[in-house]
Structure formats: C-alpha cells, structure tokens
Amino acid sequence: MAAVFLITLYEYSPLFYITVISLCFVVTAAMVLGWFGFDVPVILRSSDETESVVLAPEKRMVQVTNPFALEMGSSGVASVTEGVSLLPCCLEPCVLSCYWGCGVHALQGALQTHQHGPSKLATPHLFQEALHFQYHHCQSFHINGEDREEHYTKMPADMGITDFGLLPRERYPVVAVLTLAESEARDTYNIVASVTVVHVPDDKYSLSARILFQYLLTAQGNMYELKPLFMSAESKGLSEATDSDRSTEAPPETQKREPGKDEKEKMPGMEDEEEDWSEGKGKDCVVCQNAPVNRVLLPCRHACVCDGCVHRFQHCPICRAFVLESFALFQQPHMEEVEEE
C-alpha cells in the first residue's frame, strides 16, 4: 500500500520533487556546515564526530608540605575598634605578625620584592623592611608548633583610628604574616611565609570580617595564591579537608596541605566518610556514579568527576565552564608487577 501511494504521488504531484530536493539540500547544508566546524544539531552528526572530544591536558602537580594555616577566630566581635581574633596552626614554631592599616601598594611592592629581589621575605624583619614601614601598627605573637589557641590583635585606642576611609581604599585593615621562627625550619620547608589579607568591618564599610586573599611565599622566590576547591555538599568528609587544602594555579602547580586537618572534630556519622577520603575513595562521580571523585577541573575548580570521565567532557558538568586543565586529588597507586620466577 505504501509503495502504491508513493508511485501515485510521484506520478501526479510535483510536491514530491520539491520535498526530495528540499530534504537533500538540508542534509547537504548540515554536512557542509559541520565539516567547517559550525554547530549543527546532534541528530545530524555522525557517531564518530560526537565521540571525538579534545582531551583537556593534565596539570602537573607537585605536592609540598605547607607548615602554615590561618583561620578567622570564633571568639568576640571583629571590628577596627575592638580588634579581631585569628586562629593560627603551624607545624613548627612560628611568628604571627599582624600589620594594621597596611598600604595596598606597599604590600604589592613587598610581594614583588620577594619575587624579583635578592632577599626573600622569610623573617618578620625582612617583611617590615619590604613594606617600608607603611602601616599604622604591628603586633607580633610567637606560635608554638602545637598551639591551637586564638590570638586577639587590636590597634591601640590612643591612635584614634576608627575606619580606613571610603572605597576604594588605600590600606588593608589587617595583613597577617606567618613566618618560621627557627632558621633550621626555614632550610627544611620550601614554603617560608604565609600572607593573609583580612577584612575587618568599621564605620565606613560594614562587611563582615573575612579572609580576602592568602598567598604562600617559597624560598625560591615564587608566590602562590591559595584558592578553595568546590566539592559536593554531601561529601562533608572531603569538604572539611579541602576547605583547608587549597590549590594554587601558578606554574609549577603545587597542592598545599595545611596542618591540623586530622585534628579537627569529627561530626557524628562522618567517621566513615573521612576514613574513605583519607584512603582516596570518596564520593561517587557525578557522571558515572560508579567511581570516586578524583579530578579537579580548571579554571572553575569543581571536583566532581573521576579519572575515567574527565576525558569525556569539554565543559564542567556543574557550571558548564570550559575545561582548560585538570589535576588529580589523589595519586592512584600503580599496579605492582608480578615477578616471574
């Protein structure tokens, strides 16, 4: 019946010719556009074309030990007049130097001096000289290796400073610098200083106290900015670890591990999850739901896919940002070769 209908349509209707010609034109145009790289509907693409995805290069990572960690304290109300509480955690005895009202250009010049100057900012005295003493007040604390106490820093009341002016500002409220106290430790660790820019609310700008920037300075004159990794909210075992484990994106790539991560209080029911992440098992990949998450996508820094699925996408499954590079959270152990007797 269908054949008879087509023959009848072919003999008596000119619409048959118009339909065939139009269909051939559409298919040919789609093939030509797809050949030259234009976006065409997926249904018109061949299976070979859909599978040919450009692999994102893997970022070279160098794992180093970060002896410094600094967080906002939980005690008291932070303000310029009342001060702010900071919680340092160091693997070695350190010196915490808090510079109130540090000049923005002075800090930038000091960081450039560390990168390009002959001397590296490994001690509080060298850091003060690099700042050219362009700050209102400096307060120092000696931190022991196992010290987990909050330290309260405050400007003297007789200075009469209640704010740092309107935006844009020429001074940072607080710049906290952690340096190693012993020369032997400075020879042991590759990271010699940690610079943290802290915002403290005042009468002119009431934004709550928070950490704005964090930098790590190395003995070779390199500077790396610490940035958080974005994890699934369900995997708190990993989230707690990676809130303190921050990665840098300046070459050569380094993965910083801050101290005190294993000493944090565990939430009820989270022991198994934290144990899984410490063993490199973690939550399931958002794509295959079968393998553990082990890849961080750059530049969006979403950790959401496994080693097998990372090569199947050019866009992040979470935010759809274009993936330029990726790196592994955990180095998978190589299979041991069986010795033949």
Side-chain angles (χ1 to χ4, degrees):
M1 181 65 66
V4 175
F5 175 75
L6 291 177
I7 294 174
T8 305
L9 183 65
Y10 172 77
E11 293 178 350
Y12 297 101
S13 177
L15 294 178
F16 180 80
Y17 300 101
I18 298 176
T19 304
V20 172
I21 294 175
S22 301
L23 181 61
C24 293
F25 175 78
V26 171
V27 174
T28 304
M31 293 176 61
V32 172
L33 292 177
W35 179 268
F36 286 101
F38 293 92
D39 192 15
V40 296
V42 179
I43 194 173
L44 297 177
R45 301 177 186 174
S46 63
S47 59
D48 296 336
E49 182 182 355
T50 56
E51 295 178 357
S52 60
V53 178
V54 180
L55 300 181
E58 182 175 355
K59 196 74 171 178
R60 185 176 64 89
M61 303 294 294
V62 179
Q63 185 171 355
V64 297
T65 301
N66 177 19
F68 308 110
L70 184 67
E71 302 174 358
M72 298 296 299
S74 58
S75 61
V77 178
S79 65
V80 172
T81 56
E82 299 296 332
V84 64
S85 178
L86 301 176
L87 177 61
C89 178
C90 304
L91 296 179
E92 302 288 343
C94 298
V95 178
L96 173 62
S97 303
C98 300
Y99 300 93
W100 283 87
C102 179
V104 174
H105 297 290
L107 178 60
Q108 294 176 355
L111 296 178
Q112 292 179 0
T113 300
H114 175 81
Q115 292 178 286
H116 307 291
S119 60
K120 307 309 174 186
L121 307 182
T123 63
H125 178 69
L126 293 175
F127 204 90
Q128 289 179 1
E129 290 183 348
L131 290 175
H132 300 288
F133 301 92
Q134 295 185 20
Y135 51 86
H136 293 323
H137 176 66
C138 177
Q139 188 175 7
S140 299
F141 305 91
H142 290 275
I143 313 298
N144 296 325
E146 299 179 355
D147 187 6
R148 290 287 295 174
E149 297 181 358
E150 296 184 6
H151 294 268
Y152 192 77
T153 176
K154 179 182 178 181
M155 279 193 303
D158 55 6
M159 296 186 67
I161 299 176
T162 59
D163 60 76
F164 294 101
L166 299 174
L167 299 178
R169 293 181 167 178
E170 298 181 354
R171 294 181 179 272
Y172 290 122
V174 179
V175 175
V177 180
L178 282 169
T179 53
L180 295 170
E182 301 175 354
S183 58
E184 294 81 3
R186 290 193 288 269
D187 297 333
T188 303
Y189 292 93
N190 183 41
I191 300 174
V192 296
S194 170
V195 181
T196 305
V197 179
V198 181
H199 170 73
V200 181
D202 54 27
D203 296 338
K204 297 295 180 62
Y205 194 39
S206 60
L207 182 68
S208 60
R210 64 191 63 190
I211 293 177
L212 300 180
F213 312 102
Q214 282 188 307
Y215 302 98
L216 294 180
L217 308 183
T218 66
Q220 292 76 25
N222 297 323
M223 180 182 71
Y224 301 109
E225 181 181 358
L226 294 181
K227 294 183 178 181
L229 303 181
F230 301 106
M231 306 292 178
S232 172
E234 298 178 355
S235 56
K236 293 184 179 179
L238 178 64
S239 299
E240 292 181 359
T242 51
D243 284 342
S244 59
D245 297 351
R246 294 166 179 259
S247 66
T248 59
E249 298 181 5
E253 195 74 21
T254 58
Q255 185 174 358
K256 315 296 182 185
R257 185 174 300 276
E258 295 187 2
K261 177 174 70 67
D262 296 334
E263 300 175 3
K264 290 187 177 180
E265 296 182 359
K266 296 182 179 180
M267 298 178 62
M270 297 303 299
E271 290 82 358
D272 296 337
E273 292 187 6
E274 293 183 358
E275 184 177 350
D276 290 341
W277 280 114
S278 63
E279 296 176 356
K281 295 181 180 179
K283 288 296 182 180
D284 292 338
C285 169
V286 299
V287 179
C288 66
Q289 297 291 314
N290 188 31
V293 172
N294 192 40
R295 285 287 171 171
V296 178
L297 308 179
L298 297 178
C300 66
R301 306 194 304 280
H302 277 116
C304 56
V305 295
C306 62
D307 293 325
C309 295
V310 68
H311 302 300
R312 300 178 180 273
F313 297 93
Q314 290 180 309
H315 299 273
C316 173
I318 302 298
C319 64
R320 305 302 300 166
F322 193 78
V323 178
L324 299 181
E325 293 173 309
S326 68
F327 67 88
L329 283 173
F330 304 96
Q331 297 297 331
Q332 299 293 338
H334 297 285
M335 297 296 295
E336 297 181 357
E337 296 182 359
V338 179
E339 297 181 359
E340 298 181 357
E341 296 182 356

